[in-house]
Structure formats: C-alpha cells, structure tokens
Amino acid sequence: QETKPTKFGKGIVNIVGKDSSFTMKIGARIQILGTAAWENKDGELVNPYSNMLIRRARLKFDGFAFSPNLIYKIELGFSNRDMSGSSLYTRDSPRIILDAVMKWNFHENFVLWFGQAKLPGNRERVISSANLQFVDRSILNAGFNIDRDIGVQLRHHINLSDSFVMREIVAISQGEGRNITEGNQGGFQYTGRLEFLPFGTFPGKEDYKGSDLLRIQTPKLAIGATYDFNNNAVRTRSNMGSFMITDDGLYETNISTVFVDAIFKYKGISFMGEYAYRDAEDPIVKNLDGTPTGQTVQVGNAFNLQSGYLFKKNWELSGRYSNVNYNQEITGKGLVQEYTLGASKYIVGHNLKVQSDLTYIDNEIGNGGLAYRLQFEMQF
Amino acid sequence: QETKPTKFGKGIVNIVGKDSSFTMKIGARIQILGTAAWENKDGELVNPYSNMLIRRARLKFDGFAFSPNLIYKIELGFSNRDMSGSSLYTRDSPRIILDAVMKWNFHENFVLWFGQAKLPGNRERVISSANLQFVDRSILNAGFNIDRDIGVQLRHHINLSDSFVMREIVAISQGEGRNITEGNQGGFQYTGRLEFLPFGTFPGKEDYKGSDLLRIQTPKLAIGATYDFNNNAVRTRSNMGSFMITDDGLYETNISTVFVDAIFKYKGISFMGEYAYRDAEDPIVKNLDGTPTGQTVQVGNAFNLQSGYLFKKNWELSGRYSNVNYNQEITGKGLVQEYTLGASKYIVGHNLKVQSDLTYIDNEIGNGGLAYRLQFEMQF
Amino acid sequence: QETKPTKFGKGIVNIVGKDSSFTMKIGARIQILGTAAWENKDGELVNPYSNMLIRRARLKFDGFAFSPNLIYKIELGFSNRDMSGSSLYTRDSPRIILDAVMKWNFHENFVLWFGQAKLPGNRERVISSANLQFVDRSILNAGFNIDRDIGVQLRHHINLSDSFVMREIVAISQGEGRNITEGNQGGFQYTGRLEFLPFGTFPGKEDYKGSDLLRIQTPKLAIGATYDFNNNAVRTRSNMGSFMITDDGLYETNISTVFVDAIFKYKGISFMGEYAYRDAEDPIVKNLDGTPTGQTVQVGNAFNLQSGYLFKKNWELSGRYSNVNYNQEITGKGLVQEYTLGASKYIVGHNLKVQSDLTYIDNEIGNGGLAYRLQFEMQF
C-alpha cells in the first residue's frame, strides 16, 4: 500500500490499500481548556471559580471501504467530558464512540447514512468542535441541539441553477441520543433539513467551519432549516438531557424542535446566526396518578448571532450574542443572555490555534456572571 | 521499516520493524446492528421492541515481538456492550481490554500462552464475532460459554497420521472472567480441550470461521471436546454471570462445564453442532445460616445445530436450531428453543458483509417471540 | 511523508510529516503481572492471596507539531487499574488520559509545559512504569507521590561548569490530580524542584530509568529535591488519596510534601534513594461542628533505598528497603517496612523483560506478610 505524504493537520497517516481496495486517514486531536469565572452579585464579582481540563482528546478514522462509494467515519473520544453521560441505558459504560457511520453513495446524488452520527440539526452543532470560531459553542446549542443519534439518514443535493445548490436530508433515529444499548425507548425521532446555497458551495466545505480562514473572494451564503419531531420522547431535551423518570417508568411526550440558521463569509468577514425553538405536547412530567415529578421538557426558544473578522497573520476578533429563553411558566427558568468577545490566533488554521473569549452573562433570575476562557487546540 | 501492502480486510497496516525485530498488524472493525422483536402471546405478536446500536467497535494489534517465536495479540473494545460488566472486581472501570496475550512457541509444537485470552471452550465462542455465520452467537453460547480469563494455556498439536491432526490444550486461569483487578476469588479454573481433524487442517484456519467461504474441495471435519472445572467458583455461570453474593461474602461451589462440538465444510456446505452441559456441587446459593439467597448456578444443558450453503456471488442461506434446557427444579427456568433462518451476503468475505436472520422463540414457561435482525460488518 | 525505520522498542512507527511539518512516534505497551502473597501471623503464613492481571496497557503518541519547538505527548491507559479512580469530580467516567501535555521551548533553555502531566515530584514516580528496576514502585511512592495534575510547568536547565548541570522546575496546578472535570476545588498546588548533576547529564536520560543497562563507564550522579505546597488541599494525600468529605462539602487544609532523592550509576551498578515527608496544617478532617469525620491527611515520612547490579547477559539482582512511617497519633497507622529482593532479565532492555521480586513485609501494627511477584513487560 501507499502511505501518502501528509502535512500537519491533514491526518497522521493517509493510507491507500493495495489495489486501492480501501483508504484510511487517521487523525487525532486534543483541546486544553482553562476557565476563570465569577458570579455577578449586584455588580460585585463573587464566588470565583477556575477550571483547567483536557476538554477533548479524540481519534478519528475515515476513508472508503472496498469501493469509493462506501465511506466510513469512526470517531472516538477519550476525555472525561466526552465519555460522560453513562446510564443504565448505556449499560453504565462510558460513551467513547462518537461517530460510527457508513455513508453509501448508492445512486447519483443520493447518499444513505447508517449508524451513529450527528443528526442534521443546527449548523453550530454540526460544525466540528475543532473548527469553531469561539472557545466553545453557544448556550443556544447547549440548550437546544439534537446532537448525535443512531439510525439512517438519506441525503441528496441538487443544482437548482448554475450556482444555486439545494441539499435535502431526512433522518429516522432512535431518539435517545448516542450510545444507547437497551433499545428504543418511546418512539422514533424524525428529522428533516433543507439547505440553500444561493451563491454555490463554499470552497473547502467552509459552510461548516467557523471563521473565514480562506478569505473567500466572492460572497458565499448558506441558509438552513431543520424540523425535528421526536415521537414519545423520554428525555427533557428531546434526545438529550435527563431521562424523564416517573414511578411508572419513563414519561413519554412528543417533542418538536425547529432550527433556522445562516452562515455568510466574504474576504475574512464571517457571520453566523441561528434560531431554535422547542415545544412539547405535554411538557410537565407526571407520575401515574398525575402528580408532577418536578421535571419538565425544556421548552422555549433561543437566538445566537456571531460575527468575526480575520486580520493579517490570521488573528481574529469576533463577537457573539446568545440568549436562551425557556418558557418560564413551565420550566421556572428566566431569560439568559450572553455577550461574548473573542480573540483567536490561527497558527495553522483550525489545526493549531489559541482561542480566548470573555463572556458577560445576564440572568433574569438569580446572578449573572463573567467568564474568561483560554484554549489550545491541536489537530493532526 | 517496511510497511507491507495490505488489501481491504487484511489489516490497516502491516509493519515490519527494522532488521525484522518485530511485526505488527493493526486491525479495526465495527458492527452496526438493528433488531425488531415481538413477544408471542398465544399466537399474537405483542410488546414490539426495537434496538439499533454499534454492537462492536474494536482495535486489534498482533504480530511478533523480538523473535518470531513470541507472538502477541491485543484487542480493545470500545462499544458499550463490549465494555459493560464493570463491578467492584474490575475497580468499577470499563472492560476495554478483550485480549492481551503472549504466545511463546518455546519448543517444537508447544506454545505457551500467558495473559488474558479466550479459554479453549466451545467452538462457537472461539470463532471471532467477526466471522460468524449468523448475526450473533446462539443461546447455547449465551448460557454456557466460558469466554475469556487470565492465566496460562499450554497448546500442542501432533500429526497422528499423514493427515490426522490432534490438538491438545490445557489451561489454568483465575476463574472469574476477564478484567478482574482484585485478585483470585474462590479457587482456580482448569480447562482441557482435545481436537481431532481426521482429514487434516482446514485451509485458512476455516475450522474457526463460520460458513464455507473457501468452498473447500475436499471434505474437512473437526471435532472438539472441552472439560472445564472451576474450583470454588463464585459466579452463576462458572467464570461468567452474576457474582453469587451472600451475607458472608461470595458463595463458592465447584462448577463443571462440558462441551462437545464439531464443524464440517465441503464445497460451500457448512455444518456446526455443539452440546454443552453444566453442573455444580451445590447450585443453590445460601447465606451463612443456610437460607437460599435466590441465586442459583445456571446448571443444565444445551444444543446448537446449524448449517448453511453458500450460493453463487457469496449469498448464503443458513438455518439454526438451538435450545437451552436449564434444570427447572433448581433454576426455575423452562426449556427455550430457537429456530433461526439466516441470509448473508459476503461482499468481501467476513470483512464486509450484511447478515440478517429471523428467529422464532419457543419458551416452555412464559411467552416466546419473534426476532428479526440485520447487521452490517466491516473489518480492516 | 516518511516513515522512518524503527527497531523493536523504538515505537511502532515514526512518522515525519510532509515538509517536516510534524513528527509522531506511536508506541504501545503491556504489562502482565502475577502475584502470590501471604499474611504473616506470628511466623505462620496464612490467608494466601493470588492475583493475575493486565497491569498496564497503554498507547503513546509523541513528537512535534508544526515546529520542533512545540513538543506534545499523549498517553492513554486502557487497563482497569489505570482507568480506576472515577468519581463525581471526573463525571463518573474512567480516567483514560494519563498525559496530554504540550512542551513549548519558547526561549533558549526555557520550556513551558501546559496540560496534564506528571508533576516534578519524587524521582521514582517520574521514572516511567516501563523502566523500573523492580516489578513496581515502592511503598514510599504509594503513600507520598504527587503523580499527575493539570496546569503549567516552567522548566529550565543551566550548565554551572563544564559538566555540572542544574535543572529548575516550577509548577502550578489544580491540586486534585488527573482527569478532574469539575473545576479547581480548594486552592492551587505549587511545586518546585531542583536537580543537580555534578558529573554531567546521563547518557540516554538514564537518570530517569531504573537499573544501569548502559553500564555507564564514568560515574554519574543526580540529586533532586522537591517542595510541594497544596493550598487548601481536599484529598488525604495532597492531590491523591480519598476526597475529604464532610457534612459541609469538602474539607480544606494546606498540605506540604517534601522529597529528596538521588540516583547513581556506574559500570552496571545502580543506586537510588528517596526520602519523603508530608505535613498538613490541620490533618484531622472535621465536620462543620468540629467533630472529626474519621478521615485524616496521611502525614508522616518514608524512606526508600534500592540498589542493583547488572550481570552478564543482562541479568540483574537488586535489593530494596522501603519504609512508611505515618504519624501514628494522627493516622492510627504503624511503621511498615519492606525488604525486597529482585531478579530481572532484560531481553531487549526495558522493552522486553521479565521481572520478579520477593518482599518481606514487617508491620508494626497487625500482620506483616510475604509477597512474590512475576511480571512480563513488552514495549513497542
């Protein structure tokens, strides 16, 4: 076999099997994160908090197996944050597998995915955590994203004109998130997404990367919308969040989630915006006799707007406004707003970078706060 | 060093160290499994159940170290099913290591194994889960196999005539299964196995692979028998199953397990049969004052018979009859019988295949059922 | 890219990226350990105990990223002993990551480390578990070492004369050990270490390896001293041991740890000695109302002296005396002394070796004992 030369950031090795019977790119990455934060009590910074951790440490394997039409992707996470979330539904074992998915291009522009992968949800979630514009994703994403699940996805794209591209994705999945071993609880989850790229596809798949590192010379825009219906969902955030436990097993209700998002890049300027909305048929979790357990589906909506400009030598300044507006009557939570200022130095693009941000948190109920983060990312 | 060319399914890379000081083949595999099942209540299918999961996701490393006479094998499992089974005896950490064993060919036909590996138990268990004829192993195996353990094995083979080969294996192990950190509980486990290959060894080690993918042109037969004695065993299935906990620590009793198995292959036809039997000196788990705790050693016997025919283009149809007949007086369980019809498409042998089977379950006590499974396997 | 030839023990592969944009050495190792032990009850050996396990099974990745001045090291552990120690502070997930550290040589002899790595504590701890003179480290180390933590280290070395080398290290870390996800508890941990090498550096970094496998032809000596101050520490052994839990959250007290150590090698003779001392401002853990919880900081001191001689064909005999002398008034524990005789066969140095030792344990309070260990180590 041939082991193709790779540059830093393009895989540890790129293997081409004998007679081109397969390919494999092996990648690895780590993120080292430091945080300092304070609560804001009537203008005074109190309760200082600090945290340093290996935020992510991953191995990635991708390529094709036997035929170029059969692509695989496997991603494993070994950091404690990535592996957390074990429960009796994962056999109390850590959640090491992130992705394990086959992508079969069975006909023209049609690709069938099967296995565990990210659902076609909000853009910010689908952008790899290695390729973000800020240290980490926004509170919109933390509260509303639909992450990964196991199932099938059918993907298609079509050129509506010379440059106007449309992508369509439909997915059916179990609806309880990744690494579930104990079978489907409640019903299935159905996701549909449409994407429009009126000025054509982005070079280097940059519609799914933060910042405009390529300083794209003609304006590029992508608009996306997702509708997700989780039939008889059993977790407070659709396929994420706590399992809704009652004295009679898991509580089930239909949960709908909607995302609308857009990304724009031009000559070092980048902009991304997202809106998320979640509702449930009956968001109050109840025991058999109708008494509320105290858990509720996290219904509400959220906004995220962010923009950045890439200066010379790949220094970037960026800003972000995010809010999360849960339905207060149901969840008892108030509006949270975050104002973030970011500074990044991309040494080798997203593959070797230092990112930093400062966030002012405004909390309708209780204390807000201030948080400073500094992160180092290395990706082979 | 030299990196030998590999074809798909023959390892990701095959490394030969400088001056041939070592070799290493690195392999990886995943299995994606979907299941749909129903209970059979007086002829009506009720309680539908579905499950989709990454059943197995593994990394394998094997080759020789320093001398071709010193072979190693390391296999790691990252799927939640593979890692499950943690307990205070594994320090509450996941069971990632499957195999970690050295095989030292110290003299002629004698090979000494030390480390953690599969015991020389029933053939169906020793066949890799990548190389099965059906989606997964039978209920005989689920109830009676002796899986992996840590210890030593002495292996020898001899040619009794020009073609008649006999293999002898003896093993001493801790007797509590794999990944135990807290020392030997109860006594040791002793296993002996004899194998007879009257028409010579199978090409490609096919006596430990399901199906007859090589369409062997002269009939090949292997017969094996294992006797396993677990002195003062502390788990309900010898070195498997639940730990037998009493108010005075672990309950200990001698458990014997016997396997007789055979495999036959000829021109695309394959047949495998197994019989398993387990008995215990005192199978009723008791507290210090003699009162039963409710746990029992899973004593009884089981049969498995399966056969398949490989059609053109490597399509296979196969059938399986399995039963498990626990001693009802002791375990309270009735006879379970399964009738399975399998269909497999071997795209690149066992390395890229789609397998499917339909099982009718007959349960003497309680409801039987129907189960349909579809599995994709990819192995580098 | 170029894949440099490697010999057994020098990495599985050594990758040099295109245009020398990175390097990566991938390593792997396993240790298979067997133990037999007895308690010594008034001269009689009672309560026999045996244990066989995969003691360590690790993957290592190291090299430089983008610039030779930016070194990384990642080490993952998959044995159950290595992964153990999960708690709510690690999100109940296993502790797979051992090292994940960047080493930035930003100016002349100055190197800045950031990430998770071994602290500059006692020499025996910093010597890799692959390169020990005995089967495992001493009881001094088990009781007093400060292991790994996350934070920053500044390292510098200087030539005081033609041959006299001094190394200085200062570190600031979180103070709760490795793989903590939930932020800094209590205060930070500050560590300083000085090392003196009066006869120059050791060839092959042998001052951090057990035994004198190079049979160094001129005497080499290294002396080191560490002072560690863990401000408001929350675990019984500084950043190790049990979390000190009270009815009002974690108990906090300042803990100081001191190490003095030396290593000497000459023509096959090796000697290593260490002294450890730990004290705490208030070692008695108390609830809010002042009542003791029963936990105490493990204050006291310990000695370790060990020596070995390497015979022809790399057979080694070695001896070790270790004691641990906790403050009995506070901890309720008596003096423990261990006398160990070791025999090692280094087949390919530390990379392929068999080690064995016999330890007589003398316990001031309660029974002593006898322990025999046999270990196989293989390192790629």
Side-chain angles (χ1 to χ4, degrees), chain C residues 50-243:
Chain C
S50 74
N51 191 356
M52 189 169 173
L53 81 165
I54 306 302
R55 179 66 182 83
R56 293 177 176 95
R58 299 189 179 171
L59 282 176
K60 290 194 260 193
F61 307 84
D62 62 74
F64 75 76
F66 183 59
S67 153
N69 293 326
L70 186 63
I71 304 284
Y72 63 88
K73 183 188 176 192
I74 300 168
E75 184 165 347
L76 306 176
F78 296 111
S79 77
N80 287 61
R81 281 278 293 271
D82 273 352
M83 292 188 292
S84 70
S86 70
S87 71
L88 70 100
Y89 300 103
T90 69
R91 293 221 176 175
D92 292 318
S93 45
R95 306 198 304 161
I96 290 177
I97 301 171
L98 292 158
D99 294 308
V101 65
M102 306 299 304
K103 305 174 182 180
W104 181 30
N105 182 194
F106 62 96
H107 180 69
E108 290 179 357
N109 293 344
F110 289 91
V111 183
L112 179 73
W113 289 22
F114 54 98
Q116 181 170 291
K118 285 181 187 172
L119 291 179
N122 60 313
R123 187 177 301 272
E124 195 187 18
R125 184 69 195 85
V126 179
I127 293 177
S128 163
S129 59
N131 299 331
L132 300 174
Q133 188 162 38
F134 291 85
V135 169
D136 216 331
R137 298 188 182 93
S138 70
I139 51 173
L140 176 151
N141 187 77
F144 290 86
N145 90 81
I146 52 172
D147 193 58
R148 291 172 170 93
D149 213 306
I150 192 156
V152 294
Q153 300 187 18
L154 182 63
R155 289 169 173 249
H156 178 258
H157 67 268
I158 189 168
N159 277 43
L160 297 179
S161 77
D162 269 9
S163 68
F164 200 130
V165 173
M166 183 172 73
R167 297 186 187 130
E168 311 110 280
I169 313 171
V170 290
I172 302 178
S173 50
Q174 286 202 141
E176 285 79 46
R178 68 179 172 99
N179 298 66
I180 299 293
T181 54
E182 303 310 287
N184 186 23
Q185 313 295 318
F188 289 94
Q189 180 176 9
Y190 307 88
T191 315
R193 181 171 170 87
L194 279 180
E195 294 192 356
F196 303 99
L197 296 101
F199 313 134
T201 54
F202 287 58
K205 297 185 180 173
E206 283 276 322
D207 48 337
Y208 279 98
K209 288 180 188 161
S211 183
D212 180 22
L213 293 181
L214 299 185
R215 300 172 202 272
I216 297 171
Q217 289 305 307
T218 61
K220 291 285 181 186
L221 174 68
I223 296 169
T226 291
Y227 175 71
D228 180 80
F229 177 73
N230 200 338
N231 180 236
N232 289 333
V234 298
R235 302 181 71 168
T236 57
R237 300 175 194 275
S238 184
N239 65 352
M240 303 280 285
S242 307
F243 283 88

Side-chain angles (χ1 to χ4, degrees), chain A residues 1 15 17-19 21-22 24 65-66 70 72 74 76 78 90-91 93-94 96-97 100 102 114-115 150-151 174 179-184 188, chain B residues 3-8 11-14 30 32 49-54 57 59 78-81 83-84 86 94 96 347-348 352 376 378 380:
Chain A
Q1 96 231 66
I15 296 160
K18 199 178 174 186
D19 307 334
S21 56
F22 74 98
M24 184 179 283
F66 183 59
L70 187 63
Y72 62 89
I74 301 168
L76 305 176
F78 296 112
T90 69
R91 292 220 176 175
S93 44
I96 290 177
I97 301 172
M102 306 299 304
F114 54 99
I150 193 157
Q174 284 202 141
N179 297 66
I180 299 292
T181 55
E182 303 310 287
N184 186 23
F188 289 94
Chain B
T3 311
K4 284 193 186 167
T6 57
K7 284 203 75 145
F8 175 73
I12 298 168
V13 286
N14 274 282
I30 59 164
I32 304 173
Y49 164 88
S50 74
N51 192 356
M52 190 170 172
L53 80 165
I54 307 301
L59 283 175
F78 296 112
S79 76
N80 287 61
R81 281 278 292 270
M83 292 188 293
S84 70
S86 70
I96 290 178
I347 302 162
V348 188
L352 190 69
F376 173 83
M378 178 179 62
F380 291 94

